[in-house]
Amino acid sequence: MSVEKIEARGWVFYVDTEKEPSLHTPYVGKWMYFFDAAGSSFADEICKKAVESGVVAEAKRTDDRMLPIQGTGVCCFYCNGNDMAAHKKVIAFFLENDLVRRTKSGKLYNISFKLDAQTIAGQYQDDFKAAVKLADFVDLITGKWLR
């Protein structure tokens, strides 16, 4: 495995250069983890860990220089949207590393997978309609797998 770190255009990428070409499809998208400036080093380590451990072929995070401008950062963990095994691998990684926040009642937030095509089309907040969500895989109350 050859993991490369690339810093470009406000992002820090970790890429498995042998597997990354498999992400060049119209169905590629990402599961996201949001963080603040205090979580920057954790964000860097978790992106690196996801690629080095083979969970994803590519992960990226907001560059530290962008955090004061944006106020928060995001980590993106890429997979093909039609690959259910890949979704499960990313979700398991999220759960094992406490990347899914909980509501006040203790329920997992129903985070969404977002296709890159939706990002390119400018679909954010109310304009964004997720086709794949955490609740499709995990019981949000118990955290146990549905399938």
Side-chain angles (χ1 to χ4, degrees), residues 45-107:
E45 287 303 313
I46 206 70
C47 287
K48 182 178 178 185
K49 179 180 177 180
V51 177
E52 287 181 340
S53 63
V55 172
V56 294
E58 181 178 329
K60 72 179 183 183
R61 68 167 180 89
T62 305
D63 186 290
D64 290 345
R65 294 175 298 233
M66 297 301 292
L67 291 173
I69 298 164
Q70 297 175 346
T72 61
V74 62
C75 297
C76 300
F77 301 85
Y78 289 91
C79 67
N80 285 313
N82 57 359
D83 184 342
M84 291 303 126
H87 284 299
K88 287 181 179 182
K89 197 187 280 190
V90 175
I91 291 167
F93 181 81
F94 268 50
L95 295 173
E96 290 164 9
N97 289 281
D98 202 26
L99 300 180
V100 181
R101 291 182 172 89
R102 293 187 177 267
T103 65
K104 288 181 183 179
S105 67
K107 183 174 147 181

Side-chain angles (χ1 to χ4, degrees), residues 124-139:
Y124 293 92
Q125 297 174 346
D126 292 340
D127 293 333
F128 169 64
K129 304 292 183 248
V132 179
K133 293 186 170 198
L134 184 63
D136 297 329
F137 298 90
V138 173
D139 181 298

